[in-house]
């Protein structure tokens, strides 16, 4: 097994030639990394900041405060994928939904696209529990402790197809529903971390 670690730090301010008084363009979200080899562990780590987009973006600063953090580790191999997310500094003693999404984080929560589904639902948005479920998607729901910290892990019996991979994990305002017609829904998008799955 080969091992690789991708560590993405939060937003950095790098002085450019424009620091002499001109404006600077907004930071662009990081480009996704090349797909990992079997057995590789991918790590994304970020400190949540308000848009413009960076590695970790908050859309609801009450639930995902500026300065809170997330670390996502993902490993795939032998027909399985395991993703673990650790968060700190979120609202204490609260339940959140969280899922892998198809696109990187952007200026708005919608920019991350829908949930990544191993077998895509032909009807979008997907609310059919035959597709929107924790075996076909990566669900990382969690409940924070008194300090606003939590850990969640999801293991699914598939690996990402090489031509179609998730690119972020979105934290939602509510736990994920499994009810028909609402399956996979978890309220608004409160925060997002771009991950090079």
């Amino acid at each position: 097994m080969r091992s690789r670690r991708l560590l993405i730090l939060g937003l950095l301010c790098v002085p450019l030639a424009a620091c002499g008084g001109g404006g600077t363009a907004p930071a662009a979200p990081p480009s996704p990394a090349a797909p990992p080899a079997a057995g590789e562990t991918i790590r994304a780590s970020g400190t949540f900041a308000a848009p413009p987009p960076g590695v970790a973006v908050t859309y609801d600063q009450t639930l995902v405060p500026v300065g809170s953090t997330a670390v996502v580790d993902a490993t795939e191999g032998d027909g399985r994928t395991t993703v673990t997310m650790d968060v700190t500094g979120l609202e204490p003693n609260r339940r959140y939904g969280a899922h892998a999404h198809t696109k990187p984080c952007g200026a708005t929560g919608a920019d991350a696209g829908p949930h990544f589904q191993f077998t895509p639902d032909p009807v979008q948005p997907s609310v059919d529990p035959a597709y929107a479920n924790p075996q076909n998607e990566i669900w990382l729901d969690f409940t924070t402790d008194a300090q606003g910290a939590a850990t969640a892990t999801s293991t699914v019996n598939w690996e990402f197809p090489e031509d179609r991979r998730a690119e972020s994990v979105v934290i939602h305002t509510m736990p994920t529903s499994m009810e028909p017609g609402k399956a996979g829904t978890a309220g608004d998008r409160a925060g997002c971390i771009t991950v090079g799955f």
Side-chain angles (χ1 to χ4, degrees):
M1 280 189 183
R2 292 174 292 185
S3 179
R4 175 182 78 160
R5 231 171 234 236
L6 173 64
L7 177 61
I8 304 174
L9 300 175
L11 299 173
L12 299 175
C13 177
V14 179
L16 300 173
C19 290
T24 58
S31 299
E40 287 188 81
T41 297
I42 298 301
R43 171 170 277 193
S45 151
T47 300
F48 288 98
V55 173
V57 185
T58 177
Y59 309 114
D60 183 329
Q61 293 184 29
T62 300
L63 300 182
V64 180
V66 169
S68 57
T69 66
V71 176
V72 177
D73 287 307
T75 305
E76 57 184 324
D78 298 324
R80 299 173 64 147
T81 301
T82 297
V83 180
T84 299
M85 181 169 65
D86 293 289
V87 295
T88 64
L90 275 59
E91 186 174 275
N93 303 310
R94 190 175 201 296
R95 295 174 67 200
Y96 291 81
H99 318 100
H101 281 247
T102 60
K103 297 180 182 178
C105 307
T108 70
D111 291 338
H115 295 183
F116 179 89
Q117 295 181 324
F118 181 68
T119 302
D121 187 341
V123 177
Q124 294 293 325
S126 179
V127 291
D128 180 347
Y131 295 93
N133 63 65
Q135 292 79 43
N136 193 43
E137 301 181 349
I138 294 173
W139 291 12
L140 294 160
D141 288 23
F142 59 88
T143 301
T144 54
D145 64 16
Q147 288 73 46
T151 298
T153 299
S154 172
T155 298
V156 290
N157 291 320
W158 45 265
E159 296 180 40
F160 289 106
E162 290 200 20
D163 63 340
R164 195 171 55 83
R165 306 182 71 83
E167 295 190 39
S168 63
V169 172
V170 173
I171 298 172
H172 293 264
T173 60
M174 298 169 50
T176 308
S177 174
M178 296 186 80
E179 181 182 338
K182 294 182 181 179
T185 61
D188 292 335
R189 299 176 186 201
C192 180
I193 180 166
T194 296
V195 182
F197 288 107

